[in-house]
Amino acid sequence: MGLFDKKYCDICGEKIGLLGNRKLENGNLCKNCAQKLSPWFSDRRNSTVEEIKAQLDYREENRKKVAAFHTTRTLGADTKVLLDEDAGKFMVTRARNLVEANPDVLDFADVTGCNLDIDESRTELKREDKDGREISYNPPRYEYSYDFYITIFVNNDYFDEIRFKINSGSVDITPPPAMRPGMTTRCNPETNVEYRNCKKLGEEIRQVLTQVRKDVRQQIEQEAAPKTAVTCPYCGATTTPDVNGCCEYCGGAVRG
């Protein structure tokens, strides 16, 4: 086949326009079908047509979960972590229209870990000499920039992590000039209010997701643990406590 031969999407069958092809391992994908894939999915080139079709089926089923999702808590500023604490589910998105965006809805139990990373970069500041040339300060001066990233590790058939930036723009910090020749200046970024706020927000997201994961795992372990019969102090019956530690007959608390 020639370079400019017409190509058709192996998913929907539509003709693919110029520069609109998204290669698969054994076929072609149009940009419209590609847009329906999970935003956290990154292995398209190594995926088969069959695997892409399976993911699109999963994404259609996800629409039902989005429709049933009731946000009880929101974390974040630009990209947000939305929690449905009653259903034990969450999603990560910056979209205003959830139905249109169809963000992946995950269970708290899907979380396997959560990290906060702070990336630092620096740019040397220059000055002009008497001839208009840019030269370094003595000692050199730098501006420091910080970006804050959350990585949520998950169990999912199509992606294993969700990584997003907390801050919409880099936090830039310029230390004051050195007081003595030869002295390198570097201020503590913790003294910057914007830096502290971004770090606090990242730590809150990390702590919340780590805690909900822990709570769900503990509940799963409790439900799987062998049940021991006890005597109810309220009705006197021999009972096996339910998941809430209550008597199966009268509902009285017999555990914890």
Side-chain angles (χ1 to χ4, degrees):
M1 295 180 64
L3 179 62
F4 297 105
D5 289 345
K6 293 180 180 179
K7 294 183 175 63
Y8 292 86
C9 178
D10 288 300
I11 305 300
C12 67
E14 292 295 319
K15 185 171 69 174
I16 299 175
L18 186 65
L19 303 179
N21 190 32
R22 308 293 187 266
K23 286 294 294 178
L24 301 176
E25 184 178 290
N26 62 343
N28 301 301
L29 181 72
C30 70
K31 63 180 181 180
N32 291 333
C33 288
Q35 290 173 351
K36 298 176 183 179
L37 298 172
S38 169
W40 313 115
F41 175 67
S42 60
D43 199 28
R44 185 249 312 158
R45 280 187 171 273
N46 295 320
S47 298
T48 65
V49 171
E50 292 71 23
E51 289 169 337
I52 292 298
K53 287 182 177 179
Q55 182 180 166
L56 290 176
D57 288 343
Y58 148 80
R59 292 284 291 156
E60 283 303 308
E61 284 297 313
N62 189 75
R63 293 187 182 279
K64 300 176 184 177
K65 297 180 180 180
V66 172
F69 194 95
H70 298 288
T71 303
T72 59
R73 190 174 182 183
T74 301
L75 303 170
D78 186 22
T79 300
K80 297 178 176 63
V81 178
L82 306 180
L83 305 178
D84 183 345
E85 295 161 299
D86 298 328
K89 298 180 182 297
F90 76 99
M91 62 173 71
V92 179
T93 183
R94 61 184 304 178
R96 292 178 179 271
N97 188 330
L98 298 181
V99 173
E100 181 180 332
N102 190 26
D104 295 271
V105 178
L106 303 172
D107 294 331
F108 289 165
D110 292 332
V111 178
T112 60
C114 188
N115 291 342
L116 168 63
D117 300 310
I118 304 175
D119 290 355
E120 177 190 270
S121 61
R122 73 176 189 178
T123 304
E124 184 178 357
L125 302 176
K126 300 291 186 71
R127 65 181 180 86
E128 285 190 1
D129 65 7
K130 62 181 180 179
D131 298 320
R133 296 174 302 181
E134 277 196 345
I135 62 173
S136 298
Y137 287 92
N138 184 24
R141 295 183 60 191
Y142 299 94
E143 179 183 71
Y144 293 85
S145 295
Y146 298 90
D147 289 302
F148 300 77
Y149 293 90
I150 285 288
T151 304
I152 308 169
F153 300 98
V154 296
N155 275 323
N156 185 277
D157 290 337
Y158 304 104
F159 52 90
D160 54 19
E161 68 177 46
I162 297 172
R163 180 176 171 83
F164 61 95
K165 187 164 73 170
I166 296 172
N167 49 313
S168 56
S170 298
V171 177
D172 298 324
I173 302 176
T174 304
M179 300 302 293
R180 297 191 302 275
M183 177 182 177
T184 301
T185 60
R186 181 184 176 87
C187 65
N188 180 0
E190 295 282 356
T191 61
N192 181 278
V193 174
E194 188 179 1
Y195 179 99
R196 293 200 307 270
N197 288 341
C198 288
K199 183 178 180 181
K200 180 180 179 182
L201 179 57
E203 289 177 340
E204 180 184 14
I205 294 173
R206 181 182 60 80
Q207 290 170 1
V208 168
L209 289 176
T210 300
Q211 186 60 50
V212 296
R213 171 184 178 271
K214 180 180 178 181
D215 292 343
V216 169
R217 296 303 171 90
Q218 287 180 342
Q219 182 178 353
I220 292 173
E221 290 175 1
Q222 290 175 359
E223 291 175 353
K227 303 298 188 295
T228 303
V230 296
T231 300
C232 176
Y234 300 99
C235 68
T238 299
T239 180
T240 301
D242 61 20
V243 293
N244 297 313
C246 298
C247 174
E248 60 184 323
Y249 299 107
C250 71
V254 295
R255 186 180 65 203

